[in-house]
Amino acid sequence: MKKIAIFMILLSVSTIIMGIGYAAIDNVTLELSGNTSVKKIDNIRITKVEYKSDLLANKEESKINHFNKTTINSKISLGNDINSTISYEVTLRNDTDSTYKYVGAVNDNSKEFYDNDNIEYEVDGIDNNELLLPDTEKVVTLTFKYKSEPIDNQILNSYINIKFIKIYNIEYVNIDSNDLISTIGEDENANIEFKNLLANIEVTGDLDYEYNNGILSISNVASDIKITGIKGKELYSKTSKNIKLGSKVNPNDLEDSKDDITGTYLKYTVNSDNKVVQIDICKTGTSNAKEVCLTAVDTNKYSSNKGIMNEYFGNTDACEEEDNDGTLEYTCSNSYVVLACDDAGGIFINDIENKKSCVINPMFGIYSCK
């Protein structure tokens, strides 16, 4: 009975120590906890660890004690030679519905969880930031070796985490998402700079964020994210007001409707502080030439303005592109209207029917309608 009691005590102590080991690495990596069931779980898991090869190592004394999720607890015994190594093949399985990204192998440096600083490890067969898609697996090689001489201590007891982070999707609504990030990792931060200064944005999801002057800073992401651009209020002017992007306007100085406007006009989009976040030149529609707007000031709008012009005229036969001292200019015309834009943020509309025109050339500070 005494032997049974002692055995039970030792078993309990061993279980507690092992649990503390995995919990400690969990605190370091935000990765560990859970079970190794074949059912769908919310993490990557190791399914198999097998000896691969060694060079002058003590193969029989080296062993994999346990593995849990992506953490391996092992005892490694290298040989009495600086070139001694031992390698294991580790099979990782993504049984989740999410994509994960590999961010490197990590360990807790405390002696309880990594007790020989002169033995190091490396993981081969996978690159940093490599993605592991749902219902796929990856086989990597974990190799232990000496850092340097002397090699008095040949034993390493360790917990090592082959760490992955969950990837969340970012959806954009009413926002030009070209060149913007579409995913983010669960413990990553990001600054998203929008091409157009939006009046405001609405962000949904489990995260922390701050939006200021066209830059959205996000952190502590724990779900997919939806970012919706709020365009703001539109105000109008038939004449030049010399209003620039970022100017604060008095709404009483502008028209809040375009219903009484004929010909070309300026359209200002303002945020809740009445700061201008977008400037367009437009022309009203007629039986011969439909309504059209081009966006000024923003150099990134050159391609989209060209697309609007091509669609407006129905083909590119009426259009011409030329290089004017390093500035690309695109002009389209017919008997009723002339449209032009350049890659420096300038735009021009000449409404020939109504004998009215507007031009914006931010390089020279021209914001004119006549």
Side-chain angles (χ1 to χ4, degrees), residues 69-186:
K69 290 193 177 178
T70 55
T71 295
I72 300 171
N73 171 224
S74 66
K75 175 186 176 182
I76 299 303
S77 179
L78 297 180
N80 191 25
D81 188 294
I82 188 63
N83 297 312
S84 177
T85 65
I86 190 166
S87 299
Y88 294 87
E89 275 193 346
V90 181
T91 301
L92 297 142
R93 177 79 188 170
N94 184 356
D95 273 327
T96 78
D97 294 320
S98 303
T99 297
Y100 280 75
K101 179 171 71 174
Y102 175 62
V103 293
V106 296
N107 63 275
D108 187 320
N109 290 322
S110 58
K111 286 293 184 182
E112 300 97 314
F113 309 116
Y114 202 96
D115 65 2
N116 187 346
D117 291 337
N118 200 39
I119 294 179
E120 61 184 359
Y121 60 88
E122 62 184 24
V123 176
D124 296 311
I126 191 169
D127 297 323
N128 276 352
N129 299 319
E130 185 172 330
L131 301 180
L132 192 57
L133 302 177
D135 293 317
T136 60
E137 66 181 27
K138 184 78 175 180
V139 178
V140 302
T141 300
L142 175 63
T143 299
F144 297 89
K145 59 184 179 180
Y146 288 118
K147 281 185 181 179
S148 60
E149 293 183 307
I151 51 175
D152 301 331
N153 184 0
Q154 302 169 9
I155 306 296
L156 168 66
N157 295 286
S158 67
Y159 289 86
I160 296 170
N161 185 2
I162 302 172
K163 187 181 179 184
F164 289 78
I165 60 173
K166 184 186 288 188
I167 296 298
Y168 295 108
N169 295 315
I170 302 176
E171 177 188 1
Y172 298 95
V173 179
N174 298 331
I175 294 173
D176 182 359
S177 60
N178 290 331
D179 301 325
L180 299 181
I181 61 172
S182 59
T183 61
I184 188 170
E186 61 186 330

Side-chain angles (χ1 to χ4, degrees), residues 334-345:
N334 60 21
S335 301
Y336 306 102
V337 63
V338 178
L339 306 179
C341 66
D342 64 45
D343 63 358

Side-chain angles (χ1 to χ4, degrees), residues 99-101 131 165-172 181-192 206-208 216-225 227:
T99 297
Y100 280 75
K101 179 171 71 174
L131 301 180
I165 60 173
K166 184 186 288 188
I167 296 298
Y168 295 108
N169 295 315
I170 302 176
E171 177 188 1
Y172 298 95
I181 61 172
S182 59
T183 61
I184 188 170
E186 61 186 330
D187 59 356
E188 294 177 329
N189 302 327
N191 290 325
I192 303 174
D206 187 358
L207 75 160
D208 295 327
L216 174 65
S217 301
I218 58 178
S219 59
N220 299 320
V221 180
S223 72
D224 289 340
I225 305 169
I227 304 171

Side-chain angles (χ1 to χ4, degrees), residues 289-304:
K290 60 185 177 180
E291 184 174 6
V292 64
C293 290
L294 300 176
T295 301
V297 183
D298 189 345
T299 57
N300 293 309
K301 284 294 184 180
Y302 183 58
S303 293
S304 61

